[in-house]
Amino acid sequence: MSGAIDKKLSDLGITLPTPAAPVANYVAFVRSGNLLTVSGQLCFGPDGKLTATGQLGGSVSMEDGQKAARACAINLIAQVKAAVGDLDKVVRVVRLGGFINSAAGYTDGPKVMNGASDLMVEVFGDKGRHARSTVGVSALPANAAVEVEGTFEVS
């Protein structure tokens, strides 16, 4: 039987992908007590391809960057489900960290990250409100436009 969060995802038209395997010497997530930290997730879409490549403030528009951040958030949620089995066990989204592949001088990274933040609130309601940091970087793996990591309180 699907839980309330699975139903919410379905209502939003979101199907969680198979979580990506780590590509280097790290694990996808670590649970310590009630905190679950999920490694950075790239903006892979349902087709397994990056939703946006390149730099914000360069070849990637803010709108495409927000869509990429949303894709990262979907991949974070998929990792959480793999870790705890039932998304209704999420007590709170504690923190998101965003890395925005940015051209020199690009300052709208926080607006790009709203794509991930907004989805967490859409899916988890008030439990999805979180602390956040956003950092502009000169490059990301596979030339992805956005990468997002997260910490979740789970029961």
Side-chain angles (χ1 to χ4, degrees), residues 50-83:
L50 292 170
T51 61
T53 58
Q55 293 187 317
L56 277 291
S59 62
V60 181
S61 70
M62 183 182 310
E63 293 76 19
D64 286 343
Q66 289 170 331
K67 290 175 188 173
R70 183 179 176 92
C72 293
I74 291 168
N75 293 325
L76 277 173
I77 294 168
Q79 292 287 2
V80 171
K81 184 161 185 157

Side-chain angles (χ1 to χ4, degrees), residues 16-150:
L16 294 178
T18 300
V23 297
N25 188 16
Y26 64 93
V27 294
F29 51 80
V30 171
R31 183 170 180 171
S32 181
N34 288 342
L35 289 181
L36 178 71
T37 299
V38 180
S39 295
Q41 300 297 301
L42 297 179
C43 53
F44 289 109
D47 60 359
K49 297 179 182 175
L50 292 170
T51 61
T53 58
Q55 293 187 317
L56 277 291
S59 62
V60 181
S61 70
M62 183 182 310
E63 293 76 19
D64 286 343
Q66 289 170 331
K67 290 175 188 173
R70 183 179 176 92
C72 293
I74 291 168
N75 293 325
L76 277 173
I77 294 168
Q79 292 287 2
V80 171
K81 184 161 185 157
V84 300
D86 179 359
L87 291 171
D88 289 346
K89 292 182 179 180
V90 173
V91 174
R92 176 152 196 125
V93 180
V94 176
R95 180 187 176 279
L96 295 182
F99 304 92
I100 312 301
N101 189 351
S102 301
Y106 186 74
T107 59
D108 283 334
K111 292 178 185 173
V112 172
M113 263 300 285
N114 283 342
S117 293
D118 292 349
L119 181 70
M120 291 299 172
V121 175
E122 283 180 71
V123 171
F124 295 105
D126 281 341
K127 298 185 300 183
R129 298 194 184 283
H130 52 273
R132 184 179 93 178
S133 59
T134 305
V135 179
V137 298
S138 63
L140 285 171
N143 199 30
V146 181
E147 180 176 353
V148 180
E149 63 186 12

